[in-house]
Amino acid sequence: MEFLPEVFRTKEVNGIHLRAQTILPCLPPRLSLLVFLRHSGCIFSKEAVQDLREISETCLSFPPILFFFPGDVEEAKEFFDGVWEDAVVVADSKTQFYQELGLKNASLVQLAGPEVLLGTARATLKGLFYGIPGRNPLQMPGAFLVVKDRIVWEHRYRHIGDHPDWRNLPGVTLLPGAEFGPDVMPA
């Protein structure tokens, strides 16, 4: 089991709806999902946020999500405005947290290979489109399921259009939210 790098404990951060000045105090003592997005014009970043919002709104048992955005706070606010205003986001314009977790820049094949074209078709069918590339357009995304400072699962993207199966995260049982009140648990 890997641990998050020390910078997650020590480096002060800026962002949207953060509860603390460093990363670890922002995370609850249970499972959390850290999602490292690409730039603001990326169709796949839009798709990930849209999908995760839908899942988290319909399944109360889905872990809280902390997004990392490779731009400044204003760019992050603009990206999430109208998409998920309540999202908790770390603005990482220098991509230091990305680098600490080994998320590198994409190669040509990772940016425009045949699998990316299939991913583009998938995202377009969901009503999404490319936008104007923002900062760090070569940055690869990533997803990490953590318990405080321990990484218990990770998704290393093979290409920018790779799409994790958010509904089947290990250790996460999706319980529907609408049928159950706060005092009723399924058998």
PDB file of all heavy atoms in Angstrom, residues 155-173:
ATOM      1  N   HIS A 155      -6.013   4.721 -10.680  1.00  0.00           N
ATOM      2  CA  HIS A 155      -6.251   4.514 -12.102  1.00  0.00           C
ATOM      3  C   HIS A 155      -5.243   5.373 -12.853  1.00  0.00           C
ATOM      4  O   HIS A 155      -5.323   6.603 -12.830  1.00  0.00           O
ATOM      5  CB  HIS A 155      -7.679   4.916 -12.500  1.00  0.00           C
ATOM      6  CG  HIS A 155      -7.964   4.662 -13.944  1.00  0.00           C
ATOM      7  ND1 HIS A 155      -8.214   3.402 -14.447  1.00  0.00           N
ATOM      8  CD2 HIS A 155      -7.993   5.501 -15.014  1.00  0.00           C
ATOM      9  CE1 HIS A 155      -8.408   3.483 -15.757  1.00  0.00           C
ATOM     10  NE2 HIS A 155      -8.270   4.741 -16.122  1.00  0.00           N
ATOM     11  N   ARG A 156      -4.286   4.711 -13.478  1.00  0.00           N
ATOM     12  CA  ARG A 156      -3.293   5.383 -14.330  1.00  0.00           C
ATOM     13  C   ARG A 156      -3.836   5.338 -15.749  1.00  0.00           C
ATOM     14  O   ARG A 156      -3.980   4.274 -16.338  1.00  0.00           O
ATOM     15  CB  ARG A 156      -1.945   4.667 -14.264  1.00  0.00           C
ATOM     16  CG  ARG A 156      -1.341   4.611 -12.891  1.00  0.00           C
ATOM     17  CD  ARG A 156      -0.651   5.895 -12.565  1.00  0.00           C
ATOM     18  NE  ARG A 156      -0.133   5.873 -11.194  1.00  0.00           N
ATOM     19  CZ  ARG A 156       0.628   6.797 -10.713  1.00  0.00           C
ATOM     20  NH1 ARG A 156       0.995   7.820 -11.467  1.00  0.00           N
ATOM     21  NH2 ARG A 156       1.042   6.747  -9.474  1.00  0.00           N
ATOM     22  N   TYR A 157      -4.174   6.481 -16.273  1.00  0.00           N
ATOM     23  CA  TYR A 157      -4.776   6.557 -17.602  1.00  0.00           C
ATOM     24  C   TYR A 157      -3.798   6.087 -18.664  1.00  0.00           C
ATOM     25  O   TYR A 157      -2.655   6.526 -18.700  1.00  0.00           O
ATOM     26  CB  TYR A 157      -5.207   7.998 -17.891  1.00  0.00           C
ATOM     27  CG  TYR A 157      -6.445   8.426 -17.156  1.00  0.00           C
ATOM     28  CD1 TYR A 157      -6.481   8.511 -15.776  1.00  0.00           C
ATOM     29  CD2 TYR A 157      -7.595   8.751 -17.864  1.00  0.00           C
ATOM     30  CE1 TYR A 157      -7.623   8.907 -15.106  1.00  0.00           C
ATOM     31  CE2 TYR A 157      -8.749   9.162 -17.204  1.00  0.00           C
ATOM     32  CZ  TYR A 157      -8.756   9.232 -15.829  1.00  0.00           C
ATOM     33  OH  TYR A 157      -9.889   9.629 -15.165  1.00  0.00           O
ATOM     34  N   ARG A 158      -4.264   5.214 -19.550  1.00  0.00           N
ATOM     35  CA  ARG A 158      -3.456   4.754 -20.670  1.00  0.00           C
ATOM     36  C   ARG A 158      -3.364   5.837 -21.743  1.00  0.00           C
ATOM     37  O   ARG A 158      -2.400   5.913 -22.492  1.00  0.00           O
ATOM     38  CB  ARG A 158      -4.058   3.489 -21.286  1.00  0.00           C
ATOM     39  CG  ARG A 158      -4.057   2.295 -20.352  1.00  0.00           C
ATOM     40  CD  ARG A 158      -4.618   1.026 -21.011  1.00  0.00           C
ATOM     41  NE  ARG A 158      -5.662   1.221 -21.989  1.00  0.00           N
ATOM     42  CZ  ARG A 158      -6.980   1.266 -21.727  1.00  0.00           C
ATOM     43  NH1 ARG A 158      -7.408   1.130 -20.491  1.00  0.00           N
ATOM     44  NH2 ARG A 158      -7.861   1.437 -22.684  1.00  0.00           N
ATOM     45  N   HIS A 159      -4.413   6.644 -21.854  1.00  0.00           N
ATOM     46  CA  HIS A 159      -4.494   7.745 -22.818  1.00  0.00           C
ATOM     47  C   HIS A 159      -5.505   8.744 -22.248  1.00  0.00           C
ATOM     48  O   HIS A 159      -6.201   8.438 -21.274  1.00  0.00           O
ATOM     49  CB  HIS A 159      -4.925   7.241 -24.204  1.00  0.00           C
ATOM     50  CG  HIS A 159      -6.174   6.423 -24.173  1.00  0.00           C
ATOM     51  ND1 HIS A 159      -7.439   6.984 -24.166  1.00  0.00           N
ATOM     52  CD2 HIS A 159      -6.363   5.080 -24.110  1.00  0.00           C
ATOM     53  CE1 HIS A 159      -8.341   6.015 -24.112  1.00  0.00           C
ATOM     54  NE2 HIS A 159      -7.714   4.855 -24.071  1.00  0.00           N
ATOM     55  N   ILE A 160      -5.617   9.917 -22.850  1.00  0.00           N
ATOM     56  CA  ILE A 160      -6.469  10.958 -22.257  1.00  0.00           C
ATOM     57  C   ILE A 160      -7.951  10.618 -22.292  1.00  0.00           C
ATOM     58  O   ILE A 160      -8.722  11.137 -21.498  1.00  0.00           O
ATOM     59  CB  ILE A 160      -6.226  12.348 -22.900  1.00  0.00           C
ATOM     60  CG1 ILE A 160      -6.567  12.344 -24.393  1.00  0.00           C
ATOM     61  CG2 ILE A 160      -4.806  12.807 -22.634  1.00  0.00           C
ATOM     62  CD1 ILE A 160      -6.562  13.722 -25.039  1.00  0.00           C
ATOM     63  N   GLY A 161      -8.365   9.725 -23.188  1.00  0.00           N
ATOM     64  CA  GLY A 161      -9.778   9.346 -23.272  1.00  0.00           C
ATOM     65  C   GLY A 161     -10.133   8.105 -22.473  1.00  0.00           C
ATOM     66  O   GLY A 161     -11.275   7.661 -22.480  1.00  0.00           O
ATOM     67  N   ASP A 162      -9.158   7.543 -21.765  1.00  0.00           N
ATOM     68  CA  ASP A 162      -9.405   6.386 -20.908  1.00  0.00           C
ATOM     69  C   ASP A 162     -10.438   6.800 -19.855  1.00  0.00           C
ATOM     70  O   ASP A 162     -10.399   7.921 -19.353  1.00  0.00           O
ATOM     71  CB  ASP A 162      -8.077   5.985 -20.247  1.00  0.00           C
ATOM     72  CG  ASP A 162      -8.125   4.632 -19.569  1.00  0.00           C
ATOM     73  OD1 ASP A 162      -9.148   3.943 -19.665  1.00  0.00           O
ATOM     74  OD2 ASP A 162      -7.111   4.280 -18.944  1.00  0.00           O
ATOM     75  N   HIS A 163     -11.364   5.917 -19.567  1.00  0.00           N
ATOM     76  CA  HIS A 163     -12.464   6.294 -18.677  1.00  0.00           C
ATOM     77  C   HIS A 163     -12.643   5.239 -17.589  1.00  0.00           C
ATOM     78  O   HIS A 163     -13.078   4.126 -17.885  1.00  0.00           O
ATOM     79  CB  HIS A 163     -13.751   6.431 -19.504  1.00  0.00           C
ATOM     80  CG  HIS A 163     -14.871   7.102 -18.795  1.00  0.00           C
ATOM     81  ND1 HIS A 163     -14.810   8.395 -18.348  1.00  0.00           N
ATOM     82  CD2 HIS A 163     -16.100   6.650 -18.439  1.00  0.00           C
ATOM     83  CE1 HIS A 163     -15.954   8.719 -17.767  1.00  0.00           C
ATOM     84  NE2 HIS A 163     -16.746   7.674 -17.803  1.00  0.00           N
ATOM     85  N   PRO A 164     -12.291   5.568 -16.341  1.00  0.00           N
ATOM     86  CA  PRO A 164     -12.461   4.580 -15.276  1.00  0.00           C
ATOM     87  C   PRO A 164     -13.934   4.215 -15.094  1.00  0.00           C
ATOM     88  O   PRO A 164     -14.821   5.012 -15.385  1.00  0.00           O
ATOM     89  CB  PRO A 164     -11.954   5.292 -14.023  1.00  0.00           C
ATOM     90  CG  PRO A 164     -11.295   6.531 -14.480  1.00  0.00           C
ATOM     91  CD  PRO A 164     -11.782   6.831 -15.851  1.00  0.00           C
ATOM     92  N   ASP A 165     -14.167   3.034 -14.585  1.00  0.00           N
ATOM     93  CA  ASP A 165     -15.529   2.623 -14.256  1.00  0.00           C
ATOM     94  C   ASP A 165     -15.811   3.126 -12.841  1.00  0.00           C
ATOM     95  O   ASP A 165     -15.574   2.444 -11.856  1.00  0.00           O
ATOM     96  CB  ASP A 165     -15.651   1.102 -14.340  1.00  0.00           C
ATOM     97  CG  ASP A 165     -17.072   0.630 -14.126  1.00  0.00           C
ATOM     98  OD1 ASP A 165     -17.963   1.466 -13.850  1.00  0.00           O
ATOM     99  OD2 ASP A 165     -17.299  -0.587 -14.229  1.00  0.00           O
ATOM    100  N   TRP A 166     -16.299   4.356 -12.757  1.00  0.00           N
ATOM    101  CA  TRP A 166     -16.526   5.012 -11.470  1.00  0.00           C
ATOM    102  C   TRP A 166     -17.499   4.237 -10.586  1.00  0.00           C
ATOM    103  O   TRP A 166     -17.439   4.334  -9.370  1.00  0.00           O
ATOM    104  CB  TRP A 166     -17.054   6.427 -11.671  1.00  0.00           C
ATOM    105  CG  TRP A 166     -16.176   7.335 -12.467  1.00  0.00           C
ATOM    106  CD1 TRP A 166     -16.464   7.909 -13.672  1.00  0.00           C
ATOM    107  CD2 TRP A 166     -14.859   7.798 -12.130  1.00  0.00           C
ATOM    108  NE1 TRP A 166     -15.411   8.682 -14.100  1.00  0.00           N
ATOM    109  CE2 TRP A 166     -14.416   8.635 -13.169  1.00  0.00           C
ATOM    110  CE3 TRP A 166     -14.012   7.568 -11.046  1.00  0.00           C
ATOM    111  CZ2 TRP A 166     -13.180   9.262 -13.159  1.00  0.00           C
ATOM    112  CZ3 TRP A 166     -12.774   8.197 -11.034  1.00  0.00           C
ATOM    113  CH2 TRP A 166     -12.360   9.026 -12.084  1.00  0.00           C
ATOM    114  N   ARG A 167     -18.394   3.474 -11.184  1.00  0.00           N
ATOM    115  CA  ARG A 167     -19.404   2.751 -10.397  1.00  0.00           C
ATOM    116  C   ARG A 167     -18.872   1.466  -9.773  1.00  0.00           C
ATOM    117  O   ARG A 167     -19.555   0.830  -8.988  1.00  0.00           O
ATOM    118  CB  ARG A 167     -20.624   2.444 -11.259  1.00  0.00           C
ATOM    119  CG  ARG A 167     -21.373   3.695 -11.656  1.00  0.00           C
ATOM    120  CD  ARG A 167     -22.673   3.376 -12.368  1.00  0.00           C
ATOM    121  NE  ARG A 167     -23.365   4.572 -12.744  1.00  0.00           N
ATOM    122  CZ  ARG A 167     -24.161   5.271 -11.940  1.00  0.00           C
ATOM    123  NH1 ARG A 167     -24.356   4.886 -10.707  1.00  0.00           N
ATOM    124  NH2 ARG A 167     -24.759   6.368 -12.361  1.00  0.00           N
ATOM    125  N   ASN A 168     -17.663   1.088 -10.124  1.00  0.00           N
ATOM    126  CA  ASN A 168     -17.090  -0.150  -9.597  1.00  0.00           C
ATOM    127  C   ASN A 168     -15.743   0.069  -8.929  1.00  0.00           C
ATOM    128  O   ASN A 168     -14.814  -0.711  -9.111  1.00  0.00           O
ATOM    129  CB  ASN A 168     -16.967  -1.189 -10.721  1.00  0.00           C
ATOM    130  CG  ASN A 168     -18.307  -1.754 -11.106  1.00  0.00           C
ATOM    131  OD1 ASN A 168     -19.081  -2.158 -10.250  1.00  0.00           O
ATOM    132  ND2 ASN A 168     -18.600  -1.749 -12.391  1.00  0.00           N
ATOM    133  N   LEU A 169     -15.653   1.106  -8.133  1.00  0.00           N
ATOM    134  CA  LEU A 169     -14.421   1.329  -7.384  1.00  0.00           C
ATOM    135  C   LEU A 169     -14.288   0.241  -6.327  1.00  0.00           C
ATOM    136  O   LEU A 169     -15.271  -0.110  -5.668  1.00  0.00           O
ATOM    137  CB  LEU A 169     -14.443   2.698  -6.707  1.00  0.00           C
ATOM    138  CG  LEU A 169     -14.473   3.918  -7.617  1.00  0.00           C
ATOM    139  CD1 LEU A 169     -14.561   5.185  -6.780  1.00  0.00           C
ATOM    140  CD2 LEU A 169     -13.264   3.963  -8.517  1.00  0.00           C
ATOM    141  N   PRO A 170     -13.104  -0.304  -6.138  1.00  0.00           N
ATOM    142  CA  PRO A 170     -12.941  -1.351  -5.131  1.00  0.00           C
ATOM    143  C   PRO A 170     -13.257  -0.831  -3.733  1.00  0.00           C
ATOM    144  O   PRO A 170     -12.859   0.270  -3.363  1.00  0.00           O
ATOM    145  CB  PRO A 170     -11.469  -1.749  -5.249  1.00  0.00           C
ATOM    146  CG  PRO A 170     -10.833  -0.760  -6.130  1.00  0.00           C
ATOM    147  CD  PRO A 170     -11.872   0.017  -6.828  1.00  0.00           C
ATOM    148  N   GLY A 171     -14.010  -1.614  -2.979  1.00  0.00           N
ATOM    149  CA  GLY A 171     -14.350  -1.238  -1.614  1.00  0.00           C
ATOM    150  C   GLY A 171     -15.520  -0.283  -1.495  1.00  0.00           C
ATOM    151  O   GLY A 171     -15.891   0.117  -0.396  1.00  0.00           O
ATOM    152  N   VAL A 172     -16.119   0.102  -2.635  1.00  0.00           N
ATOM    153  CA  VAL A 172     -17.238   1.039  -2.618  1.00  0.00           C
ATOM    154  C   VAL A 172     -18.492   0.306  -3.075  1.00  0.00           C
ATOM    155  O   VAL A 172     -18.558  -0.197  -4.181  1.00  0.00           O
ATOM    156  CB  VAL A 172     -16.982   2.255  -3.548  1.00  0.00           C
ATOM    157  CG1 VAL A 172     -18.183   3.175  -3.580  1.00  0.00           C
ATOM    158  CG2 VAL A 172     -15.735   3.003  -3.106  1.00  0.00           C
ATOM    159  N   THR A 173     -19.465   0.232  -2.194  1.00  0.00           N
ATOM    160  CA  THR A 173     -20.757  -0.348  -2.544  1.00  0.00           C
ATOM    161  C   THR A 173     -21.723   0.800  -2.743  1.00  0.00           C
ATOM    162  O   THR A 173     -21.951   1.588  -1.828  1.00  0.00           O
ATOM    163  CB  THR A 173     -21.281  -1.263  -1.413  1.00  0.00           C
ATOM    164  OG1 THR A 173     -20.298  -2.280  -1.189  1.00  0.00           O
ATOM    165  CG2 THR A 173     -22.603  -1.897  -1.784  1.00  0.00           C
TER     166      THR A 173
END
